[in-house]
Amino acid sequence: MTKTGPCAFCGTTTKLTHEHVLPHHWKGSFPSWGGVASRHHSVFETKDKITHKAHTIFDEQAKDSVCGDCNHVWMQVMDTEAKTLVHDLARGSRPTIIEGEAALLSTWVTKVGLVRTLLNRKGLANAHEVVFRRFFEHNAPTMPHMVQIGSLDFPARASSNTSLNHLVVQRKAGIPLSDPFLLDSANVVTLGIGRLFLQVGLTSKSDYSLNACTSNLRAVRSRFPGRVILLGLGEDTETPQQTLSAEDFAIAAEPGDLTGAIKFQGLPQRLEAPRPE
């Protein structure tokens, strides 16, 4: 049954559609194995959600989240415009991202990253609505620029969402008066598409959100110097020649571990990046 509610991007209350994280029809261009992993951390608790199914990130969709006008108009156009570039990078056949392509890739991966966070909205691990609205209004990521890239030595179809969201519970005399609600958000979304590694920070522009995203992305670059680099805007960017392994991908996909922002005991082994059978 079709649900009615506010669109995650434009905010219009209307009938909602399901939106795939990555275009489903791209799936045939990539290997047939992979997995999805997500991590959620708040000031109250930390949760892992690991999904290991026959489908991959190309099958994952945010249900009842986006209006038809957003889904089938500008979002579809954005996928079409980015397709050739993303596929070439994912195949490892394009060593250079030229100036105009960098803006296109940055915009597209921001859109994908926002949709990816919607998979975790039940745990309030999604990006804040202000981040969606700002992107919708400009159809472009806002500064500071937070997209970084790398090359993989294995074919991937995986993603993760590291959420450092700030949740608040209204209390009186120590008694909760409401369920937790999302005050601020800071998300780092990691994508493995074929041989392409992409990571984007999604910030609400508060000091907390900016610092959380910046430090998490910097921690990945520091761990893998020269193998993960910021995507330059206004200049050509050479894709890294040194590659990330599946083990490297698993580490980079959990940047909170590198900064110490997220502390786990007994990290599930299956959270590691997918490996070919």
Side-chain angles (χ1 to χ4, degrees), residues 38-42 45-50 122-123 262 264:
S38 66
R39 171 167 288 186
H40 161 219
H41 169 77
S42 75
E45 60 183 347
T46 301
K47 295 180 179 178
D48 279 321
K49 179 181 179 183
I50 302 94
K122 287 186 178 180
I262 303 177
F264 283 88

Side-chain angles (χ1 to χ4, degrees), residues 8 19 30 38 46 62-63 71 78 94 191 193 223 246 271:
E19 168 66 358
F30 298 90
S38 66
T46 301
K63 297 182 178 180
N71 193 346
M78 200 172 288
R94 183 188 291 256
L191 299 168
I193 311 171
R223 179 63 181 264
L271 193 60

